């Protein structure tokens, strides 16, 4: 399963993916378009926060012992969140590749591509999630490798209209570069975790300082205040676009390496 070689250059050398370069370009794209990327993730996350808290609170008020109603409320909220996040994921990846190849954010094209590729992204994403989950149970590394195998699956759908063929297309593009992709994924995961941990600690501290802990102890049907939901959604959304942007950057780079020329020229074929 391990990669043993990289794609050779015409001179017989090897072209590295260059994890440092991928991370640098991902951060550059992220910070230059931070408000837009942030909002794309923040809106569905905030909606989930409000729907989930409101539905759960309503269920508890009507019947605190009705576990079925609580589970149904959670399921409805999760489905809404999943649908919106699939679209958000596709939009961000499409925009990241567009920015990477000098075409600008191309918001309209990104939304159209997201809608067109919704079902393949949703279904294939669930399958990859299941496979990666099983891999993570096997000492983590297999799960990371499976993620690397399908790391550019979404970009191939939103740029090449690969549809359900994105499985095979991602396998082809990532071949011989999967350990480098694993390195990229791990570094980004650590960064995102640190941001989430710091933001979460600050949020919990503010919540407790404003008496939130006392409310949960005294109220039979407690609910989070509106400000908490807004700030929690913001913290969750702050670093989340980074991993999506990185998959687009890696995709553009792999196309250059595997198929020659510049990614901008190659991607015009799919416009």
């Amino acid at each position: 399963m391990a990669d043993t070689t990289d794609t050779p250059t015409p001179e017989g050398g090897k072209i590295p993916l260059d994890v440092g370069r991928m991370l640098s370009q991902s951060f550059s794209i992220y910070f230059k378009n931070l408000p837009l990327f942030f909002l794309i993730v923040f809106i569905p996350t905030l909606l989930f926060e409000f729907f989930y808290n409101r539905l759960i609170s309503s269920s508890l008020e009507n019947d605190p012992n009705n576990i079925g109603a609580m589970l149904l409320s959670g399921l409805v909220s999760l489905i809404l969140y999943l649908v919106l996040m699939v679209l958000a994921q596709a939009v961000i990846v499409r925009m990241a590749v567009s920015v990477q190849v000098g075409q600008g954010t191309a918001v309209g094209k990104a939304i159209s591509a997201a809608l067109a590729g919704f079902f393949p992204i949703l279904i294939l994403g669930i399958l990859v999630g299941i496979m990666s989950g099983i891999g993570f149970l096997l000492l983590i590394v297999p799960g990371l490798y499976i993620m690397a195998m399908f790391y550019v699956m979404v970009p191939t759908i939103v740029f090449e209209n690969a549809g359900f063929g994105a499985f095979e297309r991602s396998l082809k593009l990532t071949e011989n570069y999967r350990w480098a992709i694993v390195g990229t994924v791990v570094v980004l995961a650590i960064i995102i975790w640190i941001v989430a941990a710091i933001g979460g600690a600050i949020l919990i501290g503010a919540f407790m300082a404003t008496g939130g802990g006392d409310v949960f102890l005294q109220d039979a049907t407690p609910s989070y205040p509106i400000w908490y939901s807004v700030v929690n959604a913001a913290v969750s959304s702050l670093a989340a676009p980074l991993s999506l942007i990185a998959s687009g950057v890696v995709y553009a780079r792999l196309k250059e390496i595997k198929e020659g020329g510049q990614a901008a020229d190659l991607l015009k074929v799919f416009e």
Side-chain angles (χ1 to χ4, degrees):
M1 187 183 262
D3 298 321
T4 57
T5 61
D6 288 320
T7 301
T9 66
E11 293 77 19
K14 296 179 180 179
I15 304 176
L17 183 62
D18 193 345
V19 174
R21 175 184 173 184
M22 297 298 96
L23 292 172
S24 175
Q25 291 178 348
S26 298
F27 275 99
S28 176
I29 292 173
Y30 172 70
F31 284 114
K32 287 180 180 178
N33 302 275
L34 177 57
L36 184 56
F37 285 133
F38 172 77
L39 282 175
I40 292 172
V41 177
F42 174 69
I43 292 173
T45 304
L46 182 61
L47 288 175
F48 172 74
E49 285 278 343
F50 278 130
F51 269 91
Y52 181 76
N53 289 331
R54 184 61 62 98
L55 288 174
I56 291 295
S57 297
S58 177
S59 298
L60 288 171
E61 289 174 0
N62 293 331
D63 185 357
N65 298 316
N66 192 340
I67 304 300
M70 291 178 59
L71 292 175
L72 180 61
S73 298
L75 181 61
V76 170
S77 302
L78 184 61
I79 291 175
L80 172 65
Y81 178 70
L82 180 62
V83 169
L84 292 176
M85 282 307 297
V86 166
L87 293 173
Q89 176 187 11
V91 168
I92 288 177
V93 170
R94 181 61 163 74
M95 288 170 56
V97 179
S98 295
V99 172
Q100 173 71 0
V101 300
Q103 298 177 357
T105 54
V107 178
K109 290 183 178 180
I111 294 174
S112 297
L115 292 173
F118 175 79
F119 287 108
I121 293 172
L122 175 63
I123 295 172
L124 295 182
I126 291 173
L127 292 176
V128 171
I130 293 173
M131 290 189 293
S132 299
I134 294 173
F136 278 114
L137 292 176
L138 303 174
L139 302 179
I140 299 178
V141 175
L144 290 171
Y145 193 88
I146 291 172
M147 288 180 63
M149 292 167 64
F150 301 105
Y151 194 62
V152 297
M153 184 180 71
V154 174
T156 66
I157 292 174
V158 297
F159 249 106
E160 303 181 16
N161 299 318
F164 291 99
F167 247 45
E168 182 179 356
R169 179 65 172 148
S170 184
L171 287 173
K172 180 180 178 180
L173 285 173
T174 60
E175 186 179 9
N176 300 324
Y177 289 90
R178 291 169 192 157
W179 288 118
I181 294 174
V182 167
T184 303
V185 169
V186 170
V187 172
L188 285 172
I190 292 173
I191 293 172
I192 292 172
W193 180 84
I194 291 174
V195 172
I198 294 174
I202 294 173
L203 182 60
I204 292 174
F207 182 65
M208 299 301 290
T210 57
D214 295 335
V215 172
F216 266 73
L217 290 173
Q218 299 172 7
D219 195 338
T221 60
S223 61
Y224 291 104
I226 293 178
W227 71 264
Y228 182 93
S229 296
V230 173
V231 177
N232 190 44
V235 170
S236 301
S237 306
L238 186 59
L242 269 172
S243 60
L244 302 174
I245 294 169
S247 70
V249 171
V250 169
Y251 164 72
R253 176 60 176 158
L254 288 175
K255 283 184 68 66
E256 290 179 350
I257 294 174
K258 293 292 188 79
E259 299 174 356
Q262 296 296 312
D265 298 325
L266 293 168
L267 296 175
K268 287 179 182 177
V269 176
F270 306 106
E271 290 298 304

